[in-house]
Amino acid sequence: EKFSYDTGEGHVLDVTMSGEGKDTLLFHGGPAVPLGPADIERLNEGRRIIYFDQRGAGLSTHATIDGYNHPFHFLQKNTMLDGVKDGIGILDMLGVEQADVFGGSYGSLLALVTGIKHPRRVGNMNLWGIIDGSSRQMDRIIDETAQTKAPIEYDRLKRVVGRENLHTYRDNTAELLRLVTDGTEEDRSAAAAFALYQFKLSEPVDIDGSGMGAIYEYFNSDEIADHTGPELYDALSTLMGLSDLRGMASIALKIFSEEFGIPDNFVRDNLHTLADEARRVRVTSGAQDWNTRAVNGEELHDGLVAAGVQSAFNLVENAGHSGSDPNMGLALSAAAKSLL
């Protein structure tokens, strides 16, 4: 079942409900990277999954806001906290008093902040590819380990930004956002460089050649080394089925540059609000996740336990960042069933 949710702030969101059973609100990651049908279906046994494309992403649409006609006007009224507000608004529209909340990658942060700000609306939680919004975790995206995983992509990103060393991740998001939205041909080079680096760190362990797998096969081909700027941008946009890769990149960079609109350690400092004898949390990390890292999941789990939350942590061997990684998908499906 599909329907629309009007935020009243210029964004109309595409909402999908699938399955039957326990109401479950599902946040996608990115920012601005929607889930595919298979990602949703693996979670919906015994559940009614309530999933929506977030502001500016997927099939969600945006109107001109406050007379703002710039091509990137969908960046207006588009924050991490807006994503939380929209999730609760959709539950309100459906008359759902409480739902389990699932989320991966950036979606795990949305799920955590939803639970902290609206604990009575949130039941059990299934989280993976953990991001808690702290500078400590975000800076791991560009540390020496990440650079080793994606050396070609890192060098391309450095050239685009014009720096010898990118130091910390947050130091560069505002500059990258400026480059991606500057209205020149160079903005496509910046968008492609940013997307390549992010997706390389999220590469599945097993690549099947379809869907996202086709993108990763391209990442690892000899052809990519010869592609720069617009050529690279066009190839990535085609593979991802996007008319404008800059849109996805600009939303992500805006939200990152705003430091998610919360204090640095907001999640860690407020995990105690999730303590409830009826609430269980499952935290899953891929052992080969070079984007958000397994240590992020371990830190969250340890913090939840210390705060009195019933949490279980699962480190999945031979799995990366994405729920579309076969071993990660199996683990997430099992975690979802364990929370019924």
Side-chain angles (χ1 to χ4, degrees):
E1 179 181 354
K2 293 181 73 69
F3 58 92
S4 297
Y5 172 73
D6 191 338
T7 65
E9 296 181 325
H11 295 269
V12 179
L13 309 184
D14 185 77
V15 185
T16 301
M17 291 195 301
S18 63
E20 296 181 356
K22 196 172 189 181
D23 287 321
T24 303
L25 180 65
L26 174 61
F27 288 107
H28 69 69
V33 181
L35 294 174
D39 298 310
I40 299 171
E41 289 169 8
R42 70 169 56 92
L43 301 171
N44 70 4
E45 184 174 337
R47 296 181 176 279
R48 180 174 73 157
I49 298 289
I50 303 163
Y51 166 81
F52 66 100
D53 287 344
Q54 295 157 27
R55 299 189 183 199
L59 297 177
S60 291
T61 59
H62 38 82
T64 300
I65 300 168
D66 297 334
Y68 191 78
N69 293 311
H70 189 279
F72 293 93
H73 61 262
F74 52 79
L75 296 180
Q76 301 298 296
K77 309 288 187 182
N78 193 350
T79 68
M80 187 276 291
L81 292 175
D82 286 329
V84 171
K85 179 173 65 175
D86 293 340
I88 293 297
I90 290 168
L91 293 183
D92 287 343
M93 183 176 69
L94 295 172
V96 176
E97 289 296 318
Q98 186 181 83
D100 285 358
V101 178
F102 291 7
S105 191
Y106 170 65
S108 70
L109 175 61
L110 287 165
L112 285 162
V113 175
T114 299
I116 289 168
K117 288 187 167 290
H118 305 277
R120 294 184 179 180
R121 306 297 301 274
V122 175
N124 295 327
M125 305 179 76
N126 188 13
L127 311 171
W128 62 95
I130 303 302
I131 295 176
D132 70 3
S134 67
S135 59
R136 179 186 68 259
Q137 290 193 358
M138 290 302 294
D139 286 344
R140 286 177 184 144
I141 296 174
I142 211 159
D143 66 12
E144 289 184 6
T145 303
Q147 295 167 27
T148 300
K149 169 64 178 174
I152 296 173
E153 293 77 13
Y154 177 69
D155 285 345
R156 183 181 281 111
L157 199 61
K158 285 195 301 181
R159 290 197 302 272
V160 164
V161 178
R163 295 175 181 169
E164 287 296 318
N165 193 311
L166 299 184
H167 301 297
T168 68
Y169 196 71
R170 291 191 179 189
D171 285 343
N172 299 284
T173 52
E175 175 63 8
L176 276 166
L177 177 61
R178 185 190 70 77
L179 291 169
V180 166
T181 59
D182 74 355
T184 70
E185 188 172 277
E186 291 304 310
D187 61 14
R188 295 196 290 171
S189 298
F194 170 72
L196 272 171
Y197 185 76
Q198 287 288 138
F199 280 103
K200 181 63 178 178
L201 296 182
S202 304
E203 187 174 23
V205 173
D206 293 324
I207 302 174
D208 63 6
S210 63
M212 289 298 290
I215 298 173
Y216 290 109
E217 286 191 339
Y218 173 70
F219 285 179
N220 293 318
S221 69
D222 293 335
E223 179 183 12
I224 197 171
D226 299 325
H227 279 179
T228 58
E231 277 188 329
L232 188 62
Y233 178 89
D234 291 342
L236 282 173
S237 295
T238 299
L239 281 167
M240 297 178 70
L242 297 172
S243 59
D244 195 340
L245 183 65
R246 292 172 301 177
M248 182 197 74
S250 62
I251 292 171
L253 287 164
K254 173 183 182 291
I255 290 173
F256 290 163
S257 67
E258 293 170 344
E259 300 183 355
F260 303 106
I262 53 177
D264 191 26
N265 293 310
F266 176 80
V267 168
R268 185 171 60 179
D269 291 344
N270 290 280
L271 290 176
H272 61 277
T273 63
L274 298 175
D276 186 313
E277 62 182 14
R279 179 180 294 118
R280 294 171 291 152
V281 179
R282 298 289 180 266
V283 180
T284 304
S285 293
Q288 298 181 52
D289 181 350
W290 302 108
N291 191 327
T292 59
R293 313 292 178 81
V295 67
N296 291 8
E298 293 169 355
E299 288 176 350
L300 175 62
H301 166 68
D302 291 345
L304 287 166
V305 172
V309 180
Q310 299 180 68
S311 175
F313 176 67
N314 182 18
L315 180 64
V316 185
E317 298 296 335
N318 201 37
H321 178 71
S322 173
S324 60
D325 210 324
N327 288 331
M328 180 63 80
L330 289 172
L332 297 179
S333 179
K337 293 174 186 176
S338 74
L339 294 172
L340 288 171

